[in-house]
Amino acid sequence: MARSSFSLSFLFSALLIINAFQVSAQKPVFTRQDTLRGSITPERAWWDITYYHLDISVNPLDSTIRVSNTINYRVTGNPTLMQIDLQPPMNLIKAVQNNSDLTFKREGNVYWISMKEVKQKDKIYSIVLSFEGKPRVSTRPPWVGGITWSKDKNGLPFVASACQGDGASLWWPCKDHMYDEPDSMLISVNVPENLVDVSNGRLRSVDVLRNKTKTYHWFVANPINNYGVNINIADYAHFSEVFKGEKGDLDCDYYVLKENLEKAKEQFKQVPLMLAAFEHWFGPYPFYEDSYKLVEAPYLGMEHQSCVTYGNGFKNGYRGTDLSGTGWGLKFDFIIVHESGHEWFANSITYEDIADMWIHESFINYSESLYLEYYFGKDAGSEYVLGTRSNIRNDRPVTGFYNVNNEGSGDMYYKGGNMLHTIRQIVNDDEKWRNILRGLNSEFYHKVVKGSQIENFMSLKTGINLKTVFDQYLRDIRIPVFEYNVKGNKLTFRWNNCVAGFNMPMKIFVSGKEKLLYPSERFSTVQLDVENATIMPDKGFYVAILNISGN
Ligand SMILES: [Zn+2]
């Protein structure tokens, strides 16, 4: 997802009134519904999804979605009740197994389904869930989840879903927790005959029905996370190309409103540029089997897997503006680069708990600078990262609360990107750094992960214990202060305003010569080659600097 510029300015003005420490001290109140949504309950843990067939009919005339989701699952534990998530005003009508109706009870956003017979471990079973309703309409897509029922210039329906955070159970019944992904999925969408549905994966077939409707069958051959599943319905124009990538031919398909076809043909020339840059930094595009698609949607954009949605107005920047204030942000289409970058960090490497959403957003915020570096050089990328610092709020920790579907601070974007840029300065070896980024993508290819797995991998591969670095930037709101003092040929320094045990190495330039220091919270002194040298801390580190000699 892209950071909302609206909430940025709103929260900034709110912060002028409320002291940041008061904000951080307020632990939100969580409900039983939050726990049911955000944790791996016993009623989720005993079954492992192997396959979904979401088979729906979408009616733009009355804003309804109906029909069924078939779930194949492997029994992995002791079957009790089955937890299925589906949020009001959507309703579950029926749950059928082996032609036999199952009974169920609703508790808010959750249905408890009673399983009739005892199931055998490791065997695969199937359940068909019939549902219908008018799903919640999004008031601010994609930041508030729901369906957007819009129209194109000819008055034809232009419909799309987006549901990160709020959950796929806003519009279809599923196990709405990120830890469990189906191995594959079929998405069948029935729409009026004059419209096209574009969903994830590859188009298998289109059924033309007698009732003046068509059903589009999209098959996803890879594991897919819940919020990645999406529908996009419009009178689309289509064009395509083949990208020659690291793993061979990658089919790229583009769907845009007919009125925007010419603009799209020009703007989407950035897609192969994006793919080349990200394959260089992160490794092969992770879903060759499912192809890459960029699909126009009636909102800014979202990283739907192999079906990235686009609404950036066919302009460079973020809605035509530069988030870094350096000018570099206008060199690329923010939504093409940012949302597509999520194919690597979000769709291939996926957070298990949204509290660790930094795994998606920190790397992809940082990827914007990597894109610039690839085409405009290292300084361009660096200037961009440093420029985005003005957007950091240090209001709350980047990490949210676990097991209650809680996101951390929006600082997961700019502060997260700056944390990675800082770590890169410590590594101080561009090829090693690139190998770590590519290593993450091969180690955790198509995996759901905890933040700690990413942190440990980076410590292991950098050869530096980064524990306190992650503690500082992800779980604390303070900016560490590098305090130093030069007297004669002696340099005295320490970290202050930091987490206990903070020991991040720090790079400085002593009269222009690079030097790596190992500060701790206690003052250390090193001898310099020159008297009264000028000390320039490396600007790539996201830290505060205090010359305590007062010079
Ligand atoms: Zn994002």
Side-chain angles (χ1 to χ4, degrees):
M1 191 176 342
R3 185 90 193 92
S4 156
S5 56
F6 165 83
S7 74
L8 257 186
S9 55
F10 167 75
L11 277 161
F12 181 69
S13 52
L15 277 179
L16 294 175
I17 306 161
I18 308 166
N19 177 302
F21 284 98
Q22 282 175 337
V23 172
S24 68
Q26 285 170 359
K27 187 182 172 179
V29 177
F30 296 108
T31 64
R32 174 169 156 80
Q33 285 290 320
D34 295 325
T35 300
L36 291 179
R37 171 77 171 83
S39 62
I40 304 171
T41 61
E43 293 80 7
R44 278 175 173 156
W46 68 267
W47 54 287
D48 174 40
I49 312 159
T50 58
Y51 174 75
Y52 280 137
H53 179 198
L54 180 62
D55 183 7
I56 57 174
S57 176
V58 181
N59 188 350
L61 289 178
D62 62 5
S63 312
T64 56
I65 296 182
R66 50 182 293 278
V67 189
S68 68
N69 184 27
T70 300
I71 306 176
N72 293 359
Y73 60 92
R74 184 181 288 110
V75 174
T76 58
N78 294 323
T80 52
L81 296 172
M82 176 183 261
Q83 176 179 343
I84 292 292
D85 305 272
L86 183 64
Q87 303 178 33
M90 298 302 282
N91 290 306
L92 191 67
I93 311 286
K94 223 176 204 207
V96 177
Q97 186 153 55
N98 275 332
N99 300 317
S100 165
D101 281 14
L102 302 178
T103 58
F104 51 81
K105 217 170 66 189
R106 181 166 222 171
E107 183 185 355
N109 299 331
V110 167
Y111 283 92
W112 303 110
I113 299 179
S114 302
M115 311 311 288
K116 269 188 183 162
E117 44 196 300
V118 177
K119 304 294 191 294
Q120 282 180 24
K121 226 171 168 179
D122 295 327
K123 282 210 161 175
I124 291 179
Y125 296 85
S126 186
I127 184 170
V128 183
L129 305 168
S130 302
F131 68 104
E132 66 179 18
K134 288 189 183 189
R136 191 170 91 188
V137 174
S138 176
T139 50
R140 209 165 64 86
W143 302 287
V144 174
I147 308 290
T148 302
W149 306 91
S150 182
K151 292 223 156 102
D152 69 10
K153 275 190 180 153
N154 297 321
L156 289 167
F158 183 23
V159 180
S161 64
C163 58
Q164 185 178 19
D166 296 284
S169 55
L170 268 177
W171 58 286
W172 56 285
C174 57
K175 183 194 276 190
D176 206 354
H177 193 290
M178 299 288 283
Y179 89 96
D180 195 3
E181 296 184 355
D183 305 330
S184 64
M185 179 163 184
L186 178 61
I187 306 163
S188 302
V189 183
N190 176 258
V191 294
E193 65 179 356
N194 58 338
L195 302 176
V196 175
D197 170 71
V198 185
S199 290
N200 316 74
R202 286 184 189 267
L203 185 62
R204 243 187 196 175
S205 58
V206 183
D207 299 337
V208 180
L209 304 174
R210 279 196 200 143
N211 64 352
K212 298 196 168 172
T213 65
K214 284 181 182 168
T215 302
Y216 291 80
H217 300 282
W218 293 90
F219 183 72
V220 185
N222 286 299
I224 182 167
N225 65 47
N226 283 345
Y227 81 81
V229 175
N230 77 147
I231 49 169
N232 300 282
I233 300 164
D235 177 24
Y236 281 124
H238 169 233
F239 61 104
S240 65
E241 66 182 312
V242 174
F243 174 74
K244 301 278 180 195
E246 285 192 15
K247 272 172 80 174
D249 286 356
L250 171 61
D251 294 321
C252 298
D253 288 88
Y254 310 111
Y255 293 86
V256 295
L257 295 183
K258 287 177 178 163
E259 65 215 42
N260 293 324
L261 182 59
E262 291 316 309
K263 277 188 273 182
K265 280 185 171 169
E266 195 51 42
Q267 191 73 0
F268 289 4
K269 285 178 181 166
Q270 291 186 37
V271 168
L273 298 178
M274 170 279 296
L275 288 167
F278 288 162
E279 287 208 329
H280 170 80
W281 289 110
F282 298 151
Y285 173 77
F287 304 102
Y288 271 72
E289 308 78 9
D290 288 324
S291 80
Y292 169 88
K293 297 194 294 298
L294 192 60
V295 183
E296 188 174 359
Y299 59 84
L300 184 60
M302 178 56 86
E303 64 257 27
H304 299 113
Q305 185 172 311
S306 71
C307 186
V308 174
T309 45
Y310 178 91
N312 200 33
F314 308 95
K315 281 188 292 221
N316 276 4
Y318 176 103
R319 291 178 157 149
T321 67
D322 174 13
L323 293 173
S324 74
T326 61
W328 290 115
L330 295 175
K331 296 287 186 190
F332 61 96
D333 186 312
F334 180 90
I335 290 299
I336 293 177
V337 167
H338 180 101
E339 304 305 343
S340 304
H342 278 307
E343 295 278 30
W344 284 263
F345 290 92
N347 298 337
S348 178
I349 307 176
T350 306
Y351 60 68
E352 179 183 295
D353 191 309
I354 199 168
D356 286 326
M357 190 168 161
W358 70 271
I359 299 168
H360 298 191
E361 300 303 348
S362 298
F363 281 97
I364 294 315
N365 173 273
Y366 180 64
S367 81
E368 297 156 24
S369 72
L370 293 178
Y371 177 89
L372 284 168
E373 179 170 339
Y374 188 78
Y375 289 106
F376 301 98
K378 204 172 166 182
D379 288 349
S382 183
E383 280 172 34
Y384 181 85
V385 184
L386 268 59
T388 63
R389 283 183 187 165
S390 58
N391 301 319
I392 300 174
R393 304 195 298 259
N394 288 308
D395 55 346
R396 292 186 291 130
V398 164
T399 302
F401 294 95
Y402 290 89
N403 300 315
V404 285
N405 197 42
N406 178 260
E407 278 176 32
S409 166
D411 279 350
M412 69 178 84
Y413 292 81
Y414 311 109
K415 188 177 177 179
N418 270 282
M419 173 185 76
L420 294 172
H421 191 63
T422 300
I423 294 172
R424 178 179 182 176
Q425 309 315 310
I426 306 169
V427 172
N428 210 16
D429 178 337
D430 289 345
E431 231 8 66
K432 186 174 178 181
W433 181 242
R434 184 165 81 100
N435 284 329
I436 291 168
L437 296 173
R438 290 179 68 103
L440 281 163
N441 279 283
S442 55
E443 178 79 10
F444 302 111
Y445 178 75
H446 291 184
K447 285 205 171 82
V448 177
V449 297
K450 295 179 199 299
S452 56
Q453 290 173 269
I454 303 294
E455 293 175 29
N456 294 340
F457 182 90
M458 291 186 74
S459 282
L460 185 73
K461 297 297 170 182
T462 55
I464 304 158
N465 186 345
L466 296 167
K467 182 174 183 311
T468 64
V469 176
F470 289 117
D471 285 344
Q472 184 74 52
Y473 292 105
L474 299 179
R475 293 178 275 275
D476 198 278
I477 60 168
R478 290 170 291 175
I479 304 174
V481 180
F482 177 73
E483 295 181 348
Y484 75 97
N485 174 30
V486 179
K487 217 177 215 174
N489 65 349
K490 289 203 167 64
L491 169 68
T492 301
F493 56 88
R494 71 163 181 183
W495 286 121
N496 198 359
N497 198 43
C498 54
V499 297
F502 188 63
N503 59 355
M504 181 172 81
M506 176 72 198
K507 204 200 299 171
I508 59 166
F509 296 91
V510 181
S511 298
K513 220 175 121 194
E514 187 179 297
K515 187 173 179 64
L516 198 63
L517 300 174
Y518 297 90
S520 70
E521 289 167 276
R522 307 178 78 167
F523 281 111
S524 316
T525 300
V526 293
Q527 211 147 322
L528 303 176
D529 298 341
V530 276
E531 295 274 320
N532 299 317
T534 315
I535 304 295
M536 284 294 291
D538 186 329
K539 287 197 179 88
F541 285 71
Y542 178 58
V543 296
I545 306 291
L546 184 65
N547 181 343
I548 51 178
S549 58
N551 297 329

